[in-house]
Coordinates of all heavy atoms in Angstrom, one line a residue:
M174 N 141.8 27.7 119.7 CA 141.4 27.3 121.0 C 140.0 27.9 121.3 O 139.8 29.1 121.2 CB 142.5 27.7 122.0 CG 142.2 27.2 123.4 SD 143.5 27.8 124.6 CE 144.8 26.6 124.3
N175 N 139.1 27.1 121.8 CA 137.8 27.6 122.1 C 137.7 28.2 123.5 O 138.7 28.1 124.3 CB 136.7 26.6 121.9 CG 136.8 25.4 122.9 OD1 137.1 25.6 124.1 ND2 136.5 24.2 122.4
R176 N 136.7 28.9 123.8 CA 136.5 29.6 125.1 C 136.6 28.7 126.3 O 137.2 29.0 127.3 CB 135.2 30.4 125.2 CG 135.3 31.7 124.3 CD 134.0 32.4 124.3 NE 133.5 32.7 125.7 CZ 132.4 33.3 125.9 NH1 131.6 33.6 124.9 NH2 132.0 33.7 127.1
L177 N 136.0 27.5 126.2 CA 136.0 26.6 127.3 C 137.4 26.1 127.6 O 137.9 26.1 128.7 CB 135.1 25.4 127.0 CG 135.0 24.3 128.1 CD1 134.5 24.9 129.4 CD2 134.1 23.2 127.7
T178 N 138.2 25.7 126.5 CA 139.5 25.3 126.7 C 140.4 26.4 127.2 O 141.2 26.1 128.1 CB 140.1 24.8 125.3 OG1 139.2 23.7 124.8 CG2 141.5 24.2 125.5
E179 N 140.2 27.6 126.8 CA 141.0 28.7 127.3 C 140.7 28.9 128.8 O 141.6 29.1 129.5 CB 140.6 30.0 126.5 CG 141.2 30.0 125.1 CD 140.7 31.3 124.4 OE1 140.3 32.3 125.0 OE2 140.8 31.3 123.1
T180 N 139.5 28.9 129.1 CA 139.1 29.1 130.5 C 139.7 28.1 131.4 O 140.3 28.4 132.5 CB 137.6 29.2 130.7 OG1 137.0 30.2 129.9 CG2 137.1 29.4 132.1
L181 N 139.6 26.8 131.0 CA 140.0 25.7 131.9 C 141.5 25.6 131.9 O 142.1 25.1 132.9 CB 139.4 24.4 131.4 CG 137.9 24.3 131.5 CD1 137.4 23.0 130.9 CD2 137.5 24.4 133.0
S182 N 142.2 26.1 130.9 CA 143.7 26.0 130.9 C 144.4 27.3 131.5 O 145.6 27.3 131.7 CB 144.2 25.8 129.5 OG 143.9 26.8 128.6
A183 N 143.6 28.3 131.8 CA 144.1 29.5 132.3 C 144.6 29.3 133.8 O 144.1 28.4 134.5 CB 143.1 30.6 132.3
E184 N 145.7 30.0 134.1 CA 146.2 29.9 135.5 C 145.2 30.6 136.5 O 144.5 31.6 136.1 CB 147.6 30.5 135.6 CG 148.6 29.7 134.8 CD 150.0 30.0 135.2 OE1 150.2 30.4 136.3 OE2 150.9 29.8 134.4
G185 N 145.2 30.1 137.7 CA 144.3 30.7 138.7 C 143.0 30.0 138.8 O 142.8 29.0 138.1
K186 N 142.2 30.5 139.6 CA 140.9 29.9 139.9 C 139.9 30.4 138.9 O 140.0 31.5 138.4 CB 140.5 30.2 141.3 CG 141.4 29.7 142.4 CD 140.9 30.0 143.7 CE 141.9 29.5 144.8 NZ 141.5 29.8 146.1
I187 N 138.8 29.6 138.7 CA 137.7 30.0 137.9 C 136.4 29.8 138.7 O 136.4 29.1 139.7 CB 137.5 29.1 136.6 CG1 137.3 27.6 136.9 CG2 138.8 29.3 135.7 CD1 136.9 26.8 135.8
L188 N 135.4 30.6 138.4 CA 134.2 30.5 139.1 C 133.2 29.9 138.1 O 132.8 30.4 137.0 CB 133.7 32.0 139.4 CG 132.3 32.0 140.1 CD1 132.3 31.2 141.4 CD2 132.0 33.5 140.4
S189 N 132.7 28.7 138.5 CA 131.7 28.0 137.8 C 130.4 27.9 138.6 O 130.4 27.5 139.7 CB 132.2 26.6 137.5 OG 131.3 25.8 136.7
I190 N 129.3 28.3 138.0 CA 128.0 28.4 138.7 C 127.0 27.5 138.0 O 126.9 27.4 136.7 CB 127.5 29.8 138.7 CG1 128.4 30.8 139.4 CG2 126.1 29.9 139.3 CD1 128.6 30.5 140.9
Y191 N 126.2 26.7 138.8 CA 125.2 25.9 138.3 C 123.8 26.6 138.4 O 123.6 27.2 139.5 CB 125.1 24.6 139.1 CG 124.0 23.7 138.7 CD1 124.2 22.7 137.7 CD2 122.8 23.8 139.3 CE1 123.1 21.9 137.3 CE2 121.7 22.9 138.9 CZ 121.9 22.0 138.0 OH 120.9 21.2 137.6
A192 N 123.0 26.6 137.4 CA 121.7 27.2 137.4 C 120.7 26.2 136.8 O 121.0 25.7 135.7 CB 121.7 28.5 136.7
T193 N 119.6 25.9 137.4 CA 118.6 25.1 136.8 C 117.7 25.9 135.9 O 117.2 26.9 136.2 CB 117.7 24.5 137.9 OG1 118.5 23.7 138.8 CG2 116.6 23.5 137.3
A194 N 117.6 25.4 134.6 CA 116.7 26.1 133.6 C 115.3 26.1 134.1 O 114.8 25.1 134.6 CB 116.9 25.4 132.3
G195 N 114.6 27.2 134.0 CA 113.2 27.3 134.4 C 113.0 27.6 135.9 O 111.9 27.6 136.4
F196 N 114.1 27.9 136.6 CA 114.0 28.2 138.1 C 114.6 29.6 138.4 O 115.6 29.9 137.8 CB 114.7 27.1 138.9 CG 114.6 27.3 140.3 CD1 113.5 26.9 141.1 CD2 115.7 27.9 141.0 CE1 113.5 27.1 142.4 CE2 115.6 28.1 142.4 CZ 114.5 27.7 143.1
P197 N 114.0 30.4 139.2 CA 112.8 30.1 140.0 C 111.5 30.2 139.3 O 110.5 29.7 139.7 CB 112.9 31.2 141.1 CG 113.7 32.3 140.5 CD 114.6 31.6 139.5
Q198 N 111.5 31.0 138.2 CA 110.3 31.0 137.3 C 110.7 30.7 135.9 O 111.9 30.9 135.5 CB 109.6 32.4 137.3 CG 109.1 32.9 138.7 CD 108.0 32.0 139.2 OE1 107.1 31.6 138.4 NE2 108.0 31.7 140.5
L199 N 109.8 30.2 135.1 CA 110.2 29.8 133.7 C 110.8 30.9 132.9 O 111.9 30.7 132.3 CB 108.9 29.4 133.0 CG 109.1 28.8 131.6 CD1 109.9 27.5 131.6 CD2 107.7 28.5 131.0
K200 N 110.3 32.1 133.0 CA 110.9 33.2 132.2 C 112.1 33.9 132.8 O 112.7 34.8 132.2 CB 109.8 34.3 131.9 CG 108.7 33.7 131.1 CD 107.7 34.8 130.7 CE 106.6 34.1 129.9 NZ 106.2 34.8 128.8
D201 N 112.6 33.4 134.0 CA 113.8 33.9 134.6 C 115.1 33.4 134.1 O 116.1 34.0 134.3 CB 113.7 33.6 136.1 CG 112.7 34.4 136.9 OD1 112.2 35.4 136.4 OD2 112.3 33.9 138.0
T202 N 115.0 32.3 133.3 CA 116.2 31.7 132.9 C 117.2 32.6 132.1 O 118.4 32.7 132.4 CB 115.9 30.4 132.0 OG1 115.1 29.6 132.7 CG2 117.2 29.7 131.6
L203 N 116.7 33.3 131.1 CA 117.5 34.2 130.4 C 118.1 35.3 131.2 O 119.3 35.6 131.1 CB 116.8 34.9 129.2 CG 117.5 35.9 128.3 CD1 118.8 35.2 127.7 CD2 116.6 36.4 127.3
Q204 N 117.3 35.9 132.1 CA 117.8 37.0 133.0 C 118.9 36.4 134.0 O 119.9 37.1 134.2 CB 116.7 37.6 133.8 CG 117.1 38.8 134.6 CD 117.7 39.9 133.7 OE1 117.2 40.2 132.6 NE2 118.7 40.6 134.2
V205 N 118.7 35.2 134.5 CA 119.7 34.6 135.4 C 121.0 34.4 134.6 O 122.1 34.8 135.2 CB 119.2 33.3 136.0 CG1 120.3 32.5 136.6 CG2 118.0 33.5 136.9
L206 N 120.9 33.9 133.4 CA 122.2 33.7 132.6 C 122.9 35.0 132.3 O 124.1 35.1 132.4 CB 121.8 32.9 131.3 CG 121.2 31.5 131.5 CD1 120.8 31.0 130.2 CD2 122.2 30.6 132.2
K207 N 122.1 36.0 131.9 CA 122.8 37.3 131.6 C 123.4 37.9 132.9 O 124.5 38.5 132.8 CB 121.7 38.3 131.1 CG 121.3 38.0 129.6 CD 120.3 39.0 129.1 CE 120.0 38.7 127.7 NZ 119.0 39.7 127.2
E208 N 122.7 37.8 134.0 CA 123.3 38.4 135.3 C 124.6 37.7 135.7 O 125.5 38.3 136.1 CB 122.3 38.3 136.4 CG 121.1 39.3 136.2 CD 121.5 40.8 136.3 OE1 122.5 41.1 137.0 OE2 120.9 41.6 135.6
L209 N 124.6 36.3 135.5 CA 125.8 35.6 135.8 C 126.9 36.0 134.9 O 128.0 36.2 135.4 CB 125.5 34.1 135.7 CG 124.6 33.5 136.8 CD1 124.2 32.0 136.5 CD2 125.3 33.6 138.2
E210 N 126.6 36.1 133.6 CA 127.7 36.5 132.7 C 128.2 37.9 133.0 O 129.4 38.2 133.0 CB 127.1 36.5 131.3 CG 128.2 36.9 130.2 CD 127.6 37.0 128.8 OE1 126.5 37.5 128.6 OE2 128.3 36.5 127.9
N211 N 127.3 38.9 133.4 CA 127.6 40.2 133.6 C 128.4 40.4 134.9 O 129.1 41.4 135.1 CB 126.4 41.1 133.7 CG 125.8 41.3 132.3 OD1 126.4 41.1 131.3 ND2 124.5 41.6 132.3
T212 N 128.3 39.4 135.8 CA 129.0 39.5 137.1 C 130.4 38.8 137.1 O 131.1 38.8 138.1 CB 128.2 39.0 138.3 OG1 127.9 37.6 138.0 CG2 127.0 39.8 138.5
G213 N 130.8 38.3 135.9 CA 132.1 37.8 135.7 C 132.3 36.3 136.0 O 133.4 35.8 136.1
V214 N 131.2 35.6 136.0 CA 131.2 34.1 136.1 C 132.0 33.5 134.9 O 131.7 33.9 133.8 CB 129.8 33.5 136.2 CG1 129.9 32.0 136.2 CG2 129.2 34.0 137.5
D215 N 132.9 32.6 135.2 CA 133.7 32.1 134.1 C 133.0 31.0 133.3 O 133.1 30.9 132.1 CB 135.0 31.4 134.6 CG 135.9 32.5 135.3 OD1 136.3 33.4 134.6 OD2 136.2 32.4 136.5
L216 N 132.2 30.1 134.0 CA 131.5 29.1 133.4 C 130.1 29.0 134.0 O 129.9 29.1 135.2 CB 132.1 27.7 133.6 CG 133.4 27.4 133.0 CD1 134.0 26.1 133.4 CD2 133.3 27.4 131.5
I217 N 129.1 28.8 133.1 CA 127.7 28.7 133.6 C 127.3 27.3 133.2 O 127.3 26.9 132.0 CB 126.8 29.7 133.0 CG1 127.2 31.1 133.3 CG2 125.3 29.5 133.5 CD1 126.5 32.2 132.6
E218 N 126.9 26.5 134.2 CA 126.4 25.1 133.9 C 124.9 25.2 134.0 O 124.4 25.5 135.1 CB 127.0 24.1 134.9 CG 126.6 22.7 134.7 CD 127.3 21.8 135.7 OE1 128.1 22.2 136.6 OE2 127.1 20.6 135.5
I219 N 124.2 24.9 132.9 CA 122.8 25.0 133.0 C 122.2 23.6 133.1 O 122.5 22.7 132.4 CB 122.2 25.5 131.6 CG1 122.8 26.9 131.4 CG2 120.7 25.6 131.7 CD1 122.4 27.5 130.1
G220 N 121.4 23.4 134.2 CA 120.8 22.1 134.5 C 119.5 22.0 133.8 O 118.6 22.8 134.0
M221 N 119.3 21.0 133.0 CA 118.0 20.7 132.4 C 117.2 19.9 133.4 O 117.6 18.9 133.9 CB 118.1 19.9 131.1 CG 116.9 19.6 130.4 SD 116.0 21.1 129.9 CE 114.3 20.7 130.4
P222 N 116.1 20.4 133.9 CA 115.4 19.7 135.0 C 114.9 18.3 134.6 O 114.6 18.1 133.4 CB 114.1 20.6 135.3 CG 114.1 21.7 134.2 CD 115.4 21.7 133.5
F223 N 115.0 17.4 135.5 CA 114.7 16.0 135.3 C 113.7 15.6 136.3 O 113.7 16.1 137.5 CB 116.0 15.3 135.4 CG 115.9 13.8 135.1 CD1 115.7 13.4 133.8 CD2 116.2 12.9 136.1 CE1 115.6 12.0 133.5 CE2 116.1 11.5 135.8 CZ 115.8 11.1 134.5
S224 N 112.8 14.7 136.0 CA 111.7 14.3 136.9 C 112.2 13.5 138.1 O 111.5 13.4 139.1 CB 110.7 13.5 136.1 OG 111.2 12.4 135.6
D225 N 113.4 12.9 138.1 CA 113.9 12.0 139.1 C 115.3 12.3 139.4 O 116.1 11.3 139.3 CB 113.6 10.6 138.7 CG 113.7 9.6 139.9 OD1 113.6 10.1 141.1 OD2 113.9 8.4 139.6
P226 N 115.7 13.5 139.9 CA 117.1 13.8 140.1 C 117.7 13.4 141.5 O 118.3 14.2 142.1 CB 117.2 15.3 139.9 CG 115.9 15.7 140.5 CD 114.9 14.6 140.1
L227 N 117.4 12.2 141.9 CA 117.7 11.8 143.3 C 119.2 11.9 143.6 O 119.6 12.2 144.7 CB 117.2 10.4 143.5 CG 115.7 10.2 143.5 CD1 115.3 8.8 143.7 CD2 115.1 11.1 144.5
A228 N 120.1 11.6 142.6 CA 121.5 11.6 142.9 C 122.1 13.0 142.9 O 123.2 13.2 143.3 CB 122.3 10.8 141.8
D229 N 121.3 14.0 142.6 CA 121.8 15.4 142.5 C 121.7 16.1 143.8 O 122.2 17.3 143.9 CB 121.0 16.2 141.4 CG 121.2 15.6 140.0 OD1 122.3 15.1 139.8 OD2 120.3 15.7 139.2
G230 N 121.1 15.6 144.8 CA 121.0 16.3 146.1 C 119.7 17.1 146.2 O 119.1 17.4 145.2
P231 N 119.4 17.5 147.5 CA 118.1 18.1 147.7 C 117.9 19.5 147.0 O 116.8 19.8 146.6 CB 118.0 18.3 149.2 CG 119.4 18.1 149.7 CD 120.1 17.2 148.7
T232 N 119.0 20.3 146.9 CA 118.8 21.6 146.3 C 118.5 21.5 144.8 O 117.5 22.2 144.3 CB 120.1 22.4 146.5 OG1 120.4 22.5 147.8 CG2 120.0 23.8 145.8
I233 N 119.2 20.6 144.1 CA 118.9 20.5 142.6 C 117.6 19.7 142.5 O 116.8 20.0 141.5 CB 120.1 19.8 141.9 CG1 121.3 20.7 141.9 CG2 119.7 19.4 140.5 CD1 122.5 20.1 141.3
Q234 N 117.3 18.8 143.4 CA 116.0 18.1 143.3 C 114.8 19.1 143.4 O 113.9 19.1 142.6 CB 115.8 17.1 144.4 CG 116.7 15.9 144.3 CD 116.6 15.0 145.6 OE1 115.7 15.1 146.3 NE2 117.7 14.2 145.8
E235 N 114.9 20.0 144.4 CA 113.9 21.0 144.6 C 113.8 22.0 143.4 O 112.7 22.3 142.9 CB 114.2 21.8 145.9 CG 113.0 22.8 146.2 CD 113.3 23.5 147.5 OE1 113.9 22.9 148.4 OE2 112.8 24.6 147.6
S236 N 114.9 22.5 142.9 CA 114.9 23.4 141.8 C 114.4 22.7 140.5 O 113.6 23.3 139.7 CB 116.2 24.1 141.5 OG 117.2 23.2 141.1
S237 N 114.7 21.5 140.3 CA 114.2 20.7 139.1 C 112.7 20.5 139.2 O 112.0 20.7 138.2 CB 115.0 19.4 139.0 OG 116.3 19.5 138.6
T238 N 112.3 20.1 140.3 CA 110.8 19.9 140.5 C 110.0 21.2 140.2 O 109.1 21.2 139.5 CB 110.5 19.4 141.9 OG1 111.2 18.2 142.1 CG2 109.0 19.2 142.1
K239 N 110.5 22.3 140.8 CA 109.9 23.6 140.5 C 109.9 24.0 139.1 O 108.9 24.5 138.5 CB 110.5 24.7 141.4 CG 110.0 26.1 141.2 CD 108.6 26.2 141.8 CE 108.3 27.7 141.8 NZ 106.9 27.9 141.8
A240 N 111.1 23.8 138.4 CA 111.2 24.2 137.0 C 110.3 23.4 136.1 O 109.7 23.9 135.2 CB 112.7 24.0 136.6
L241 N 110.2 22.1 136.4 CA 109.2 21.2 135.7 C 107.8 21.7 135.9 O 107.0 21.7 134.9 CB 109.4 19.8 136.0 CG 110.7 19.1 135.6 CD1 110.9 17.7 136.2 CD2 110.8 19.1 134.1
M242 N 107.5 22.0 137.1 CA 106.1 22.5 137.4 C 105.9 23.9 136.7 O 104.8 24.2 136.3 CB 105.9 22.7 138.9 CG 105.9 21.4 139.7 SD 105.9 21.5 141.5 CE 104.5 22.6 141.8
N243 N 107.0 24.6 136.5 CA 106.9 25.9 135.7 C 106.7 25.7 134.2 O 106.4 26.6 133.5 CB 108.1 26.7 136.0 CG 108.2 27.3 137.3 OD1 107.2 27.4 138.1 ND2 109.4 27.7 137.7
G244 N 106.9 24.4 133.8 CA 106.8 24.2 132.3 C 108.0 24.1 131.5 O 108.0 24.1 130.3
M245 N 109.2 24.1 132.2 CA 110.5 24.0 131.4 C 110.6 22.7 130.7 O 110.3 21.6 131.2 CB 111.7 24.2 132.4 CG 113.0 24.1 131.7 SD 113.2 25.1 130.2 CE 113.4 26.7 130.9
T246 N 111.0 22.8 129.4 CA 111.3 21.6 128.6 C 112.6 21.8 127.9 O 113.2 22.9 127.8 CB 110.2 21.5 127.5 OG1 110.3 22.6 126.6 CG2 108.8 21.4 128.1
T247 N 113.1 20.7 127.3 CA 114.4 20.8 126.6 C 114.2 21.7 125.4 O 115.1 22.6 125.1 CB 114.8 19.4 126.1 OG1 114.9 18.5 127.2 CG2 116.1 19.4 125.4
E248 N 113.1 21.7 124.7 CA 112.8 22.5 123.6 C 112.8 24.0 124.0 O 113.5 24.8 123.3 CB 111.5 22.1 122.9 CG 111.2 22.9 121.7 CD 109.9 22.4 121.0 OE1 109.1 21.9 121.6 OE2 109.8 22.7 119.8
L249 N 112.2 24.3 125.1 CA 112.2 25.7 125.5 C 113.6 26.2 125.9 O 114.0 27.3 125.5 CB 111.3 25.9 126.7 CG 109.8 25.9 126.5 CD1 109.1 25.9 127.9 CD2 109.4 27.0 125.6
L250 N 114.4 25.4 126.5 CA 115.8 25.7 126.8 C 116.6 26.1 125.6 O 117.2 27.1 125.5 CB 116.5 24.6 127.6 CG 117.9 24.9 127.9 CD1 118.1 26.1 128.8 CD2 118.5 23.6 128.6
F251 N 116.5 25.3 124.5 CA 117.2 25.5 123.3 C 116.7 26.7 122.5 O 117.4 27.1 121.5 CB 117.4 24.2 122.5 CG 118.3 23.3 123.1 CD1 117.9 22.0 123.6 CD2 119.7 23.6 123.3 CE1 118.7 21.1 124.1 CE2 120.5 22.7 123.9 CZ 120.1 21.5 124.3
E252 N 115.5 27.2 122.8 CA 115.0 28.4 122.2 C 115.5 29.7 122.8 O 115.4 30.7 122.2 CB 113.5 28.4 122.2 CG 112.8 27.3 121.4 CD 111.3 27.3 121.5 OE1 110.7 28.1 122.3 OE2 110.7 26.4 120.9
I253 N 116.2 29.6 123.9 CA 116.7 30.8 124.6 C 117.9 31.4 123.8 O 118.8 30.6 123.5 CB 117.1 30.5 126.0 CG1 115.9 30.1 126.8 CG2 117.8 31.7 126.6 CD1 116.2 29.6 128.2
E254 N 117.8 32.6 123.4 CA 118.9 33.2 122.5 C 120.3 33.1 123.1 O 121.2 32.9 122.4 CB 118.5 34.7 122.3 CG 119.2 35.3 121.1 CD 118.7 34.6 119.8 OE1 117.6 34.2 119.6 OE2 119.6 34.5 118.9
F255 N 120.4 33.2 124.4 CA 121.7 33.1 125.1 C 122.3 31.7 124.7 O 123.5 31.6 124.5 CB 121.5 33.2 126.6 CG 122.7 33.4 127.4 CD1 123.2 34.7 127.7 CD2 123.4 32.3 127.9 CE1 124.3 34.8 128.5 CE2 124.6 32.5 128.7 CZ 125.0 33.8 129.0
I256 N 121.5 30.7 124.7 CA 122.0 29.3 124.4 C 122.4 29.2 122.9 O 123.4 28.7 122.5 CB 121.0 28.3 124.8 CG1 120.5 28.4 126.2 CG2 121.5 26.9 124.4 CD1 121.6 28.2 127.2
K257 N 121.5 29.8 122.1 CA 121.7 29.7 120.6 C 123.0 30.4 120.2 O 123.6 30.0 119.3 CB 120.5 30.4 119.9 CG 119.3 29.7 119.9 CD 118.2 30.4 119.1 CE 116.9 29.8 119.1 NZ 115.9 30.5 118.4
N258 N 123.4 31.4 121.0 CA 124.6 32.2 120.6 C 125.9 31.5 121.2 O 127.0 32.0 121.0 CB 124.5 33.6 121.1 CG 123.5 34.4 120.4 OD1 123.2 34.1 119.2 ND2 123.0 35.4 121.0
G259 N 125.7 30.4 121.9 CA 126.9 29.7 122.5 C 127.7 30.5 123.4 O 128.9 30.6 123.2
K260 N 127.1 31.2 124.4 CA 127.8 32.1 125.2 C 128.7 31.4 126.3 O 128.7 31.9 127.4 CB 126.8 33.0 125.9 CG 126.1 33.9 125.0 CD 127.0 35.0 124.7 CE 126.3 36.3 124.6 NZ 127.1 37.5 124.6
G261 N 129.5 30.4 125.9 CA 130.4 29.8 126.9 C 129.7 29.0 128.0 O 130.1 29.0 129.1
V262 N 128.6 28.4 127.6 CA 127.7 27.7 128.6 C 128.0 26.2 128.4 O 128.1 25.7 127.3 CB 126.2 28.0 128.3 CG1 125.4 27.2 129.2 CG2 126.0 29.5 128.5
S263 N 128.1 25.5 129.5 CA 128.1 24.1 129.5 C 126.8 23.5 129.9 O 126.1 24.1 130.7 CB 129.3 23.5 130.3 OG 129.0 23.8 131.7
G264 N 126.4 22.4 129.4 CA 125.1 21.8 129.8 C 125.3 20.7 130.8 O 126.3 20.0 130.8
F265 N 124.3 20.5 131.5 CA 124.3 19.4 132.5 C 123.0 18.6 132.3 O 121.9 19.2 132.5 CB 124.3 20.0 133.9 CG 124.3 18.9 135.0 CD1 125.4 18.2 135.2 CD2 123.2 18.8 135.8 CE1 125.4 17.2 136.2 CE2 123.2 17.8 136.9 CZ 124.3 17.1 137.1
D266 N 123.1 17.4 131.8 CA 121.9 16.7 131.4 C 122.2 15.2 131.5 O 123.3 14.8 131.7 CB 121.6 17.1 129.9 CG 120.2 16.6 129.5 OD1 119.4 16.2 130.3 OD2 120.0 16.6 128.3
R267 N 121.1 14.5 131.4 CA 121.3 13.0 131.3 C 121.2 12.7 129.8 O 120.5 13.2 129.1 CB 120.1 12.3 132.0 CG 120.3 12.4 133.5 CD 119.5 13.5 134.0 NE 119.7 13.7 135.4 CZ 119.8 15.0 135.9 NH1 119.7 16.0 135.1 NH2 120.0 15.2 137.2
R268 N 122.1 11.7 129.4 CA 122.2 11.4 128.0 C 120.9 11.0 127.3 O 120.6 11.4 126.2 CB 123.2 10.3 127.8 CG 124.6 10.8 128.0 CD 125.6 9.6 127.9 NE 125.6 9.0 126.6 CZ 126.4 9.1 125.7 NH1 127.4 10.0 125.8 NH2 126.3 8.5 124.5
N269 N 120.1 10.3 128.0 CA 118.8 9.9 127.4 C 117.9 11.0 127.1 O 117.2 11.0 126.1 CB 118.1 8.8 128.3 CG 117.8 9.3 129.7 OD1 118.4 10.2 130.2 ND2 116.8 8.8 130.3
N270 N 117.9 12.1 127.9 CA 117.1 13.3 127.6 C 117.6 14.0 126.3 O 116.8 14.4 125.5 CB 117.2 14.3 128.8 CG 116.6 13.8 130.0 OD1 115.8 12.8 130.0 ND2 116.8 14.5 131.1
S271 N 118.9 14.1 126.2 CA 119.4 14.7 125.0 C 119.2 13.9 123.7 O 118.8 14.4 122.7 CB 120.9 14.9 125.1 OG 121.2 15.8 126.2
F272 N 119.3 12.6 123.9 CA 119.1 11.7 122.7 C 117.6 11.7 122.3 O 117.3 11.7 121.1 CB 119.5 10.3 123.0 CG 121.0 10.1 123.0 CD1 121.6 9.3 124.0 CD2 121.8 10.6 122.0 CE1 123.0 9.2 124.0 CE2 123.2 10.5 122.0 CZ 123.8 9.7 123.0
E273 N 116.7 11.8 123.3 CA 115.3 11.8 123.0 C 114.9 13.1 122.3 O 114.2 13.1 121.3 CB 114.5 11.7 124.3 CG 113.0 11.6 124.0 CD 112.3 11.4 125.3 OE1 112.7 10.6 126.2 OE2 111.2 12.0 125.4
F274 N 115.6 14.2 122.7 CA 115.3 15.5 122.1 C 115.8 15.5 120.6 O 115.2 15.9 119.7 CB 115.9 16.6 122.9 CG 115.6 18.0 122.3 CD1 114.3 18.5 122.4 CD2 116.6 18.7 121.6 CE1 114.1 19.8 121.8 CE2 116.3 20.0 121.1 CZ 115.1 20.5 121.2

């Protein structure tokens, strides 16, 4: 059984947090992920910023715009050691972005 299946099948509540990659600053992504992990978050959903996230609401729209302005790319996200190590992170992306990458 993998960590995601274990977490989702466990009794009780889980804490799942969404964080936009590259926000608030480009180099903050790794630190944000580590802090979330260290504080006991069960699942971290990393949002890959997208140029037109209208359906995601104003908060994600704003963080995505800022992250893109900071220079966040799919390639940069997958270079982060935290992601490479598969630290129980789920991704939030649009299929066309992933397929293009």
Side-chain angles (χ1 to χ4, degrees):
M174 186 179 279
N175 67 38
R176 286 176 57 183
L177 180 60
T178 303
E179 287 177 20
T180 300
L181 294 175
S182 62
E184 292 199 25
K186 296 179 181 180
I187 62 169
L188 178 58
S189 178
I190 300 292
Y191 176 89
T193 301
F196 180 83
Q198 298 295 322
L199 185 62
K200 295 186 183 225
D201 291 339
T202 303
L203 178 59
Q204 186 62 36
V205 167
L206 296 174
K207 285 181 176 180
E208 289 295 325
L209 289 171
E210 180 183 44
N211 291 338
T212 57
V214 171
D215 297 301
L216 294 173
I217 303 169
E218 184 178 2
I219 303 173
M221 183 61 224
F223 184 67
S224 61
D225 194 20
L227 295 178
D229 295 331
T232 301
I233 294 176
Q234 289 173 22
E235 185 176 330
S236 65
S237 289
T238 299
K239 177 71 173 157
L241 290 171
M242 289 172 54
N243 290 340
M245 178 49 76
T246 65
T247 304
E248 185 174 23
L249 285 174
L250 176 61
F251 287 116
E252 288 177 4
I253 296 174
E254 201 61 37
F255 193 92
I256 306 298
K257 288 180 181 179
N258 291 335
K260 291 286 218 163
V262 174
S263 66
F265 181 71
D266 191 15
R267 285 99 190 138
R268 288 175 58 100
N269 58 335
N270 293 348
S271 298
F272 286 135
E273 184 177 321
F274 181 71

